Amino acid sequence: MIELDRNAMTPMYVQLANVLRDRIRRGEIPVGRRLPSQSELEAETGGAVSRRTIKSALEVLTEEGVIQGVQGKGVFVIALPNDESE
C-alpha cells in the first residue's frame, strides 16, 4: 500500500514519485523490471490519486532518466535514481 499525505505541502505527484524512486533504489523494482501499471498504482494508493497524478509522477521519473515507457509493454526501470533527485 502506498501512503500519501493529502495535507502535506509536497504535491501528491511528487510524493508518489518519491515512493517509486525509493522502491527502485531499494531494489524492490530492479532495473529492467516493469513498473506497476497506472491502474495497479491507483489501487495501491487506495484510489487516493487520479491517473493524472500518477502520470505526472511517472513524468518526473522519466525526466530524471530513471524510467522509460515502451509502447504497448509498459513503463520500465532503466537506471538507478541519483541521490540528488529528491
Coordinates of all heavy atoms in Angstrom, one line a residue:
M1 N 0.8 -1.2 0.0 CA 0.0 0.0 0.0 C 0.9 1.3 0.0 O 1.9 1.3 0.7 CB -0.9 0.0 1.2 CG -1.9 1.0 1.3 SD -3.2 0.7 0.1 CE -4.5 1.8 0.6
I2 N 0.5 2.2 -0.8 CA 1.3 3.4 -0.9 C 0.5 4.5 -0.1 O -0.7 4.7 -0.3 CB 1.4 3.9 -2.3 CG1 2.2 2.9 -3.2 CG2 2.0 5.3 -2.4 CD1 2.3 3.3 -4.6
E3 N 1.2 5.0 0.9 CA 0.6 6.1 1.8 C 1.1 7.4 1.3 O 2.3 7.7 1.3 CB 1.0 5.8 3.2 CG 0.6 4.5 3.8 CD -0.9 4.4 4.1 OE1 -1.5 5.5 4.4 OE2 -1.5 3.3 4.1
L4 N 0.1 8.3 1.0 CA 0.4 9.7 0.6 C -0.3 10.6 1.6 O -1.4 10.3 2.0 CB 0.0 9.9 -0.8 CG 0.7 9.0 -1.9 CD1 0.1 9.3 -3.2 CD2 2.2 9.2 -1.9
D5 N 0.3 11.8 1.8 CA -0.3 12.7 2.8 C -1.0 13.9 2.0 O -0.3 14.8 1.5 CB 0.8 13.2 3.7 CG 0.2 14.2 4.8 OD1 -1.0 14.5 4.8 OD2 1.0 14.6 5.6
R6 N -2.3 13.9 1.9 CA -3.0 14.9 1.2 C -2.8 16.3 1.8 O -3.0 17.3 1.2 CB -4.5 14.6 1.3 CG -5.0 13.6 0.3 CD -6.5 13.6 0.2 NE -6.9 12.7 -0.9 CZ -6.8 12.9 -2.2 NH1 -6.3 14.0 -2.6 NH2 -7.2 12.1 -3.0
N7 N -2.5 16.4 3.1 CA -2.3 17.6 3.8 C -0.9 18.2 3.8 O -0.6 19.3 4.3 CB -2.8 17.5 5.3 CG -4.3 17.1 5.3 OD1 -5.1 17.7 4.6 ND2 -4.6 16.2 6.2
A8 N 0.0 17.4 3.2 CA 1.4 17.9 3.1 C 1.6 19.0 2.1 O 0.8 19.1 1.2 CB 2.3 16.7 2.8
M9 N 2.6 19.8 2.3 CA 2.9 20.9 1.3 C 3.4 20.3 0.0 O 3.3 20.9 -1.0 CB 3.9 21.9 1.9 CG 3.3 22.7 3.0 SD 4.4 24.0 3.6 CE 4.8 24.9 2.2
T10 N 4.0 19.1 0.1 CA 4.6 18.5 -1.1 C 3.4 17.9 -2.0 O 2.6 17.2 -1.5 CB 5.5 17.3 -0.7 OG1 6.5 17.8 0.2 CG2 6.1 16.7 -1.9
P11 N 3.4 18.3 -3.3 CA 2.3 17.8 -4.1 C 2.2 16.3 -4.1 O 3.2 15.6 -4.0 CB 2.7 18.4 -5.5 CG 3.6 19.5 -5.2 CD 4.3 19.1 -4.0
M12 N 1.0 15.8 -4.4 CA 0.8 14.3 -4.4 C 1.7 13.6 -5.4 O 2.2 12.6 -5.2 CB -0.7 14.0 -4.6 CG -1.6 14.5 -3.6 SD -1.6 13.6 -2.1 CE -2.7 12.2 -2.6
Y13 N 1.8 14.2 -6.6 CA 2.6 13.5 -7.6 C 4.1 13.5 -7.3 O 4.8 12.5 -7.6 CB 2.4 14.2 -9.0 CG 3.2 15.5 -9.2 CD1 4.4 15.5 -9.8 CD2 2.7 16.7 -8.8 CE1 5.2 16.6 -10.1 CE2 3.4 17.9 -9.0 CZ 4.6 17.9 -9.6 OH 5.3 19.0 -9.8
V14 N 4.6 14.4 -6.5 CA 6.0 14.4 -6.1 C 6.1 13.3 -5.0 O 7.1 12.6 -5.0 CB 6.4 15.8 -5.5 CG1 7.8 15.7 -4.9 CG2 6.4 16.8 -6.7
Q15 N 5.1 13.2 -4.1 CA 5.2 12.2 -3.1 C 5.2 10.8 -3.7 O 6.0 9.9 -3.3 CB 3.9 12.3 -2.1 CG 3.9 13.5 -1.2 CD 2.7 13.5 -0.4 OE1 2.4 12.5 0.3 NE2 2.0 14.6 -0.4
L16 N 4.4 10.6 -4.7 CA 4.3 9.3 -5.4 C 5.6 9.0 -6.1 O 6.1 7.9 -6.1 CB 3.1 9.3 -6.4 CG 3.0 8.0 -7.2 CD1 2.8 6.8 -6.2 CD2 1.8 8.1 -8.1
A17 N 6.2 10.0 -6.8 CA 7.5 9.9 -7.5 C 8.5 9.5 -6.4 O 9.4 8.6 -6.7 CB 7.9 11.1 -8.2
N18 N 8.5 10.1 -5.2 CA 9.5 9.8 -4.2 C 9.3 8.3 -3.7 O 10.3 7.6 -3.5 CB 9.3 10.7 -3.0 CG 9.8 12.1 -3.3 OD1 10.5 12.4 -4.2 ND2 9.3 13.1 -2.5
V19 N 8.1 7.8 -3.6 CA 7.8 6.5 -3.2 C 8.4 5.5 -4.2 O 9.1 4.5 -3.9 CB 6.3 6.2 -2.9 CG1 6.0 4.7 -2.8 CG2 5.8 7.0 -1.7
L20 N 8.1 5.8 -5.5 CA 8.6 4.9 -6.5 C 10.1 4.9 -6.6 O 10.7 3.9 -6.8 CB 7.9 5.3 -7.9 CG 6.4 5.0 -8.0 CD1 5.9 5.6 -9.3 CD2 6.1 3.6 -7.9
R21 N 10.7 6.1 -6.5 CA 12.1 6.2 -6.5 C 12.8 5.4 -5.4 O 13.8 4.7 -5.6 CB 12.5 7.7 -6.4 CG 14.0 8.0 -6.7 CD 14.3 9.5 -6.5 NE 13.6 10.4 -7.4 CZ 12.6 11.2 -7.0 NH1 12.3 11.3 -5.7 NH2 12.0 12.0 -7.9
D22 N 12.2 5.5 -4.2 CA 12.7 4.7 -3.1 C 12.6 3.2 -3.3 O 13.5 2.5 -3.0 CB 12.0 5.1 -1.8 CG 12.3 6.5 -1.3 OD1 13.4 7.0 -1.7 OD2 11.6 7.0 -0.5
R23 N 11.5 2.8 -3.9 CA 11.3 1.4 -4.2 C 12.4 0.9 -5.2 O 12.9 -0.2 -5.1 CB 10.0 1.1 -4.8 CG 8.9 1.1 -3.8 CD 7.6 0.7 -4.5 NE 6.5 0.6 -3.5 CZ 5.3 0.2 -3.8 NH1 4.9 -0.1 -5.1 NH2 4.3 0.1 -2.9
I24 N 12.7 1.7 -6.2 CA 13.7 1.4 -7.2 C 15.1 1.4 -6.5 O 15.9 0.4 -6.7 CB 13.7 2.4 -8.4 CG1 12.4 2.2 -9.1 CG2 14.9 2.2 -9.3 CD1 12.1 3.4 -10.1
R25 N 15.4 2.4 -5.7 CA 16.7 2.4 -5.0 C 16.9 1.2 -4.1 O 18.0 0.7 -4.0 CB 16.7 3.7 -4.2 CG 18.1 4.1 -3.6 CD 18.1 5.4 -2.9 NE 18.1 6.5 -3.9 CZ 17.2 7.5 -3.9 NH1 16.3 7.5 -3.0 NH2 17.2 8.4 -4.8
R26 N 15.8 0.8 -3.4 CA 15.9 -0.4 -2.5 C 16.0 -1.7 -3.2 O 16.1 -2.8 -2.6 CB 14.8 -0.4 -1.5 CG 14.9 0.7 -0.4 CD 13.9 0.5 0.7 NE 12.6 0.3 0.3 CZ 11.6 1.2 0.2 NH1 11.8 2.4 0.5 NH2 10.4 0.8 -0.2
G27 N 15.7 -1.7 -4.5 CA 15.7 -2.9 -5.3 C 14.4 -3.7 -5.3 O 14.3 -4.8 -5.9
E28 N 13.3 -3.0 -4.8 CA 12.0 -3.7 -4.9 C 11.5 -3.7 -6.3 O 10.8 -4.6 -6.7 CB 11.0 -2.9 -4.0 CG 11.3 -3.0 -2.5 CD 10.3 -2.2 -1.7 OE1 9.2 -1.9 -2.1 OE2 10.7 -1.7 -0.6
I29 N 11.9 -2.7 -7.1 CA 11.6 -2.7 -8.5 C 13.0 -2.6 -9.2 O 13.5 -1.5 -9.4 CB 10.7 -1.6 -8.9 CG1 9.4 -1.5 -8.1 CG2 10.3 -1.7 -10.4 CD1 8.6 -0.3 -8.3
P30 N 13.6 -3.7 -9.6 CA 15.0 -3.6 -10.1 C 15.1 -3.1 -11.5 O 14.1 -3.0 -12.3 CB 15.5 -5.1 -10.1 CG 14.3 -5.9 -9.9 CD 13.2 -5.0 -9.4
V31 N 16.3 -2.6 -11.9 CA 16.5 -2.2 -13.3 C 16.1 -3.3 -14.3 O 16.4 -4.4 -14.0 CB 18.0 -1.7 -13.5 CG1 18.2 -1.4 -14.9 CG2 18.3 -0.6 -12.6
G32 N 15.4 -2.9 -15.3 CA 14.9 -3.9 -16.3 C 13.5 -4.4 -16.0 O 12.9 -5.0 -16.9
R33 N 13.0 -4.1 -14.8 CA 11.6 -4.6 -14.5 C 10.6 -3.6 -14.8 O 10.8 -2.4 -14.8 CB 11.6 -4.9 -13.0 CG 10.4 -5.5 -12.4 CD 10.1 -6.9 -12.7 NE 11.1 -7.9 -12.5 CZ 11.4 -8.5 -11.4 NH1 10.7 -8.2 -10.3 NH2 12.4 -9.4 -11.3
R34 N 9.4 -4.0 -15.1 CA 8.3 -3.1 -15.4 C 7.7 -2.6 -14.1 O 7.5 -3.3 -13.1 CB 7.2 -3.9 -16.2 CG 6.0 -3.1 -16.7 CD 5.0 -3.9 -17.4 NE 4.3 -4.8 -16.5 CZ 3.2 -4.4 -15.8 NH1 2.8 -3.2 -15.7 NH2 2.6 -5.3 -15.0
L35 N 7.3 -1.3 -14.1 CA 6.6 -0.7 -13.0 C 5.2 -1.2 -13.0 O 4.7 -1.6 -14.1 CB 6.6 0.8 -13.2 CG 7.8 1.6 -12.9 CD1 7.6 3.1 -13.1 CD2 8.3 1.4 -11.5
P36 N 4.5 -1.1 -11.9 CA 3.1 -1.4 -11.9 C 2.4 -0.5 -12.8 O 2.8 0.7 -13.0 CB 2.7 -1.2 -10.4 CG 3.9 -1.3 -9.6 CD 5.0 -0.8 -10.5
S37 N 1.3 -1.0 -13.4 CA 0.5 -0.1 -14.4 C -0.1 1.0 -13.6 O -0.2 1.0 -12.4 CB -0.5 -1.0 -15.0 OG -1.5 -1.4 -14.1
Q38 N -0.7 2.0 -14.3 CA -1.3 3.1 -13.7 C -2.5 2.6 -12.9 O -2.7 3.1 -11.8 CB -1.8 4.1 -14.8 CG -0.7 4.9 -15.3 CD -1.1 6.0 -16.2 OE1 -2.3 6.4 -16.3 NE2 -0.2 6.6 -17.0
S39 N -3.3 1.6 -13.4 CA -4.4 1.1 -12.6 C -3.9 0.4 -11.3 O -4.6 0.5 -10.3 CB -5.3 0.3 -13.4 OG -4.6 -0.8 -14.0
E40 N -2.8 -0.3 -11.4 CA -2.3 -1.0 -10.3 C -1.8 0.0 -9.2 O -2.0 -0.2 -8.0 CB -1.1 -1.9 -10.6 CG -1.5 -3.1 -11.4 CD -0.4 -3.9 -12.1 OE1 0.7 -3.3 -12.4 OE2 -0.6 -5.1 -12.3
L41 N -1.1 1.1 -9.7 CA -0.7 2.1 -8.8 C -1.9 2.9 -8.1 O -1.9 3.2 -6.9 CB 0.2 3.2 -9.5 CG 1.6 2.7 -9.9 CD1 2.3 3.7 -10.8 CD2 2.4 2.4 -8.6
E42 N -2.9 3.1 -8.9 CA -4.1 3.7 -8.4 C -4.7 2.8 -7.3 O -5.1 3.3 -6.2 CB -5.2 3.9 -9.5 CG -6.4 4.7 -9.1 CD -7.3 4.9 -10.3 OE1 -7.2 4.2 -11.3 OE2 -8.0 5.9 -10.2
A43 N -4.7 1.5 -7.5 CA -5.2 0.6 -6.5 C -4.4 0.6 -5.2 O -4.8 0.5 -4.1 CB -5.3 -0.8 -7.1
E44 N -3.0 0.6 -5.4 CA -2.1 0.7 -4.3 C -2.3 1.9 -3.4 O -1.9 1.8 -2.2 CB -0.6 0.6 -4.8 CG -0.1 -0.8 -5.0 CD 1.4 -0.8 -5.2 OE1 2.1 -0.6 -4.1 OE2 1.9 -0.9 -6.3
T45 N -2.7 3.0 -4.0 CA -3.0 4.2 -3.2 C -4.4 4.2 -2.6 O -4.8 5.2 -2.0 CB -2.8 5.5 -4.0 OG1 -3.7 5.5 -5.1 CG2 -1.4 5.6 -4.6
G46 N -5.1 3.1 -2.8 CA -6.5 3.1 -2.4 C -7.4 4.0 -3.1 O -8.4 4.5 -2.6
G47 N -7.0 4.4 -4.3 CA -7.8 5.3 -5.1 C -7.6 6.7 -4.7 O -8.4 7.6 -5.0
A48 N -6.6 7.0 -3.9 CA -6.4 8.4 -3.3 C -5.9 9.4 -4.4 O -5.9 10.6 -4.1 CB -5.4 8.3 -2.1
V49 N -5.4 8.9 -5.5 CA -4.8 9.8 -6.5 C -5.5 9.4 -7.8 O -5.9 8.3 -8.1 CB -3.3 9.7 -6.6 CG1 -2.6 10.1 -5.4 CG2 -2.8 8.3 -7.0
S50 N -5.5 10.5 -8.7 CA -6.0 10.3 -10.0 C -5.0 9.7 -11.0 O -3.8 9.8 -10.7 CB -6.5 11.7 -10.6 OG -5.4 12.5 -10.8
R51 N -5.4 9.3 -12.1 CA -4.5 8.8 -13.2 C -3.6 10.0 -13.6 O -2.4 9.7 -13.9 CB -5.3 8.3 -14.4 CG -6.1 7.1 -14.1 CD -5.4 5.8 -14.5 NE -6.1 4.6 -14.1 CZ -6.5 3.7 -14.9 NH1 -6.3 3.8 -16.2 NH2 -7.1 2.7 -14.5
R52 N -4.1 11.2 -13.6 CA -3.3 12.3 -14.0 C -2.1 12.5 -13.0 O -1.0 12.8 -13.4 CB -4.1 13.6 -14.1 CG -3.4 14.8 -14.4 CD -2.8 14.8 -15.9 NE -1.6 15.6 -15.9 CZ -0.6 15.3 -16.7 NH1 -0.6 14.2 -17.5 NH2 0.5 16.0 -16.6
T53 N -2.4 12.3 -11.7 CA -1.4 12.5 -10.7 C -0.3 11.4 -10.9 O 0.9 11.7 -10.8 CB -2.0 12.3 -9.3 OG1 -3.0 13.4 -9.1 CG2 -0.9 12.4 -8.2
I54 N -0.7 10.2 -11.2 CA 0.2 9.1 -11.5 C 1.0 9.4 -12.7 O 2.3 9.2 -12.7 CB -0.6 7.7 -11.6 CG1 -1.2 7.4 -10.3 CG2 0.4 6.6 -12.1 CD1 -2.2 6.3 -10.4
K55 N 0.4 9.9 -13.7 CA 1.1 10.2 -15.0 C 2.2 11.3 -14.7 O 3.3 11.2 -15.2 CB 0.1 10.7 -16.0 CG 0.7 10.9 -17.4 CD -0.4 11.1 -18.4 CE 0.0 11.1 -19.8 NZ 1.0 11.8 -20.3
S56 N 1.8 12.3 -13.9 CA 2.8 13.3 -13.5 C 4.0 12.8 -12.8 O 5.1 13.2 -13.0 CB 2.1 14.4 -12.7 OG 1.1 15.1 -13.4
A57 N 3.7 11.8 -11.8 CA 4.8 11.2 -11.1 C 5.7 10.5 -12.0 O 7.0 10.5 -11.9 CB 4.2 10.3 -10.0
L58 N 5.1 9.7 -13.0 CA 6.0 9.0 -13.9 C 6.8 9.9 -14.8 O 7.9 9.6 -15.2 CB 5.1 8.1 -14.8 CG 4.3 7.0 -14.0 CD1 3.5 6.1 -14.9 CD2 5.3 6.1 -13.2
E59 N 6.2 11.1 -15.2 CA 6.9 12.1 -16.0 C 8.1 12.6 -15.3 O 9.2 12.8 -15.9 CB 6.0 13.2 -16.4 CG 4.9 12.9 -17.4 CD 3.9 13.9 -17.6 OE1 3.9 15.0 -16.9 OE2 3.0 13.7 -18.5
V60 N 8.0 12.8 -13.9 CA 9.2 13.2 -13.1 C 10.3 12.2 -13.3 O 11.4 12.6 -13.5 CB 8.8 13.4 -11.7 CG1 10.0 13.6 -10.8 CG2 7.8 14.6 -11.5
L61 N 10.0 10.9 -13.1 CA 11.0 9.9 -13.1 C 11.5 9.7 -14.5 O 12.7 9.4 -14.7 CB 10.4 8.6 -12.6 CG 10.0 8.6 -11.1 CD1 9.4 7.3 -10.7 CD2 11.2 8.9 -10.2
T62 N 10.7 9.9 -15.5 CA 11.2 9.8 -16.9 C 12.2 11.0 -17.2 O 13.3 10.7 -17.8 CB 10.0 9.9 -17.9 OG1 9.1 8.9 -17.7 CG2 10.5 9.9 -19.4
E63 N 11.9 12.2 -16.7 CA 12.8 13.3 -16.9 C 14.1 13.1 -16.2 O 15.2 13.6 -16.7 CB 12.1 14.6 -16.4 CG 11.0 15.1 -17.3 CD 10.3 16.3 -16.8 OE1 10.7 16.9 -15.8 OE2 9.2 16.6 -17.3
E64 N 14.1 12.3 -15.1 CA 15.3 12.0 -14.3 C 16.1 10.9 -15.0 O 17.2 10.6 -14.6 CB 15.0 11.6 -12.9 CG 14.4 12.8 -12.1 CD 13.9 12.3 -10.7 OE1 14.1 11.1 -10.3 OE2 13.3 13.1 -10.0
G65 N 15.5 10.3 -16.0 CA 16.2 9.2 -16.7 C 16.2 7.9 -15.9 O 17.0 7.0 -16.2
V66 N 15.2 7.7 -15.0 CA 15.1 6.5 -14.2 C 14.2 5.5 -14.9 O 14.4 4.3 -14.8 CB 14.5 6.9 -12.8 CG1 14.3 5.6 -12.0 CG2 15.5 7.8 -12.1
I67 N 13.1 5.9 -15.5 CA 12.2 5.0 -16.2 C 12.0 5.4 -17.6 O 12.3 6.6 -18.0 CB 10.8 5.0 -15.5 CG1 10.1 6.4 -15.5 CG2 11.0 4.5 -14.0 CD1 8.7 6.4 -15.0
Q68 N 11.4 4.5 -18.4 CA 11.1 4.8 -19.8 C 9.9 3.9 -20.2 O 9.8 2.7 -19.9 CB 12.3 4.4 -20.7 CG 12.1 4.6 -22.2 CD 13.3 4.3 -23.0 OE1 14.2 3.6 -22.5 NE2 13.4 4.8 -24.2
G69 N 9.0 4.6 -20.9 CA 7.8 3.9 -21.4 C 8.1 3.2 -22.7 O 8.9 3.7 -23.5
V70 N 7.6 2.0 -22.9 CA 7.7 1.2 -24.1 C 6.3 0.9 -24.6 O 5.5 0.3 -23.9 CB 8.4 -0.2 -23.8 CG1 8.5 -1.0 -25.1 CG2 9.8 0.1 -23.2
Q71 N 6.0 1.5 -25.8 CA 4.7 1.4 -26.4 C 4.1 0.0 -26.4 O 4.8 -0.9 -26.8 CB 4.7 1.9 -27.8 CG 3.4 2.0 -28.5 CD 2.5 3.1 -27.9 OE1 3.0 4.2 -27.5 NE2 1.2 2.9 -27.8
G72 N 3.0 -0.2 -25.7 CA 2.3 -1.5 -25.7 C 2.8 -2.5 -24.7 O 2.3 -3.6 -24.5
K73 N 3.9 -2.1 -24.0 CA 4.5 -3.0 -23.0 C 4.4 -2.5 -21.6 O 4.3 -3.3 -20.6 CB 6.0 -3.2 -23.3 CG 6.3 -3.8 -24.7 CD 6.5 -5.2 -24.6 CE 6.9 -5.8 -26.0 NZ 6.7 -7.2 -26.0
G74 N 4.5 -1.2 -21.4 CA 4.5 -0.6 -20.0 C 5.7 0.3 -19.8 O 6.3 0.8 -20.7
V75 N 5.9 0.6 -18.5 CA 7.0 1.5 -18.1 C 8.0 0.7 -17.4 O 7.7 0.0 -16.5 CB 6.4 2.7 -17.3 CG1 7.5 3.6 -16.8 CG2 5.3 3.4 -18.0
F76 N 9.3 0.9 -17.8 CA 10.3 0.0 -17.3 C 11.4 0.9 -16.6 O 11.7 2.0 -17.0 CB 11.0 -0.8 -18.4 CG 10.1 -1.8 -18.9 CD1 9.2 -1.5 -19.9 CD2 10.2 -3.1 -18.5 CE1 8.3 -2.5 -20.4 CE2 9.4 -4.1 -19.0 CZ 8.4 -3.8 -20.0
V77 N 12.0 0.3 -15.5 CA 13.1 1.0 -14.9 C 14.4 0.8 -15.7 O 14.7 -0.3 -16.1 CB 13.4 0.3 -13.5 CG1 14.6 1.0 -12.8 CG2 12.2 0.4 -12.6
I78 N 15.0 1.9 -16.1 CA 16.2 1.8 -16.9 C 17.5 2.2 -16.2 O 18.6 2.0 -16.7 CB 16.0 2.7 -18.2 CG1 15.8 4.1 -17.9 CG2 14.9 2.1 -19.1 CD1 15.8 5.1 -19.1
A79 N 17.4 2.8 -15.0 CA 18.6 3.3 -14.3 C 18.2 3.5 -12.8 O 17.0 3.7 -12.5 CB 19.1 4.6 -14.8
L80 N 19.2 3.4 -11.9 CA 19.0 3.7 -10.5 C 18.9 5.2 -10.4 O 19.6 5.9 -11.1 CB 20.1 3.1 -9.7 CG 20.2 1.6 -9.6 CD1 21.4 1.2 -8.8 CD2 19.0 1.1 -8.9
P81 N 18.1 5.7 -9.5 CA 18.0 7.1 -9.3 C 19.3 7.7 -8.7 O 20.0 7.1 -7.9 CB 16.8 7.3 -8.3 CG 16.4 5.9 -7.9 CD 17.2 4.9 -8.6
N82 N 19.6 9.0 -9.0 CA 20.7 9.7 -8.4 C 20.2 10.2 -7.0 O 19.0 10.5 -6.9 CB 21.1 10.9 -9.2 CG 21.7 10.5 -10.5 OD1 22.4 9.5 -10.6 ND2 21.5 11.3 -11.6
D83 N 21.1 10.3 -6.1 CA 20.7 10.7 -4.7 C 20.2 12.2 -4.7 O 19.4 12.5 -3.9 CB 21.8 10.5 -3.7 CG 22.0 9.1 -3.4 OD1 21.1 8.3 -3.5 OD2 23.2 8.7 -3.0
E84 N 20.7 13.0 -5.6 CA 20.3 14.4 -5.6 C 18.9 14.6 -6.3 O 18.5 15.7 -6.4 CB 21.3 15.3 -6.3 CG 21.5 15.1 -7.8 CD 22.6 14.0 -8.1 OE1 23.1 13.4 -7.1 OE2 22.9 13.8 -9.2
S85 N 18.2 13.6 -6.7 CA 16.9 13.7 -7.4 C 15.8 14.2 -6.4 O 14.8 14.8 -6.9 CB 16.4 12.3 -7.9 OG 17.3 11.8 -8.8
E86 N 16.0 14.1 -5.1 CA 14.9 14.4 -4.2 C 14.9 15.8 -3.8 O 15.6 16.6 -3.7 CB 15.0 13.5 -3.0 CG 14.7 12.1 -3.4 CD 14.8 11.2 -2.2 OE1 14.0 11.3 -1.3 OE2 15.7 10.4 -2.2

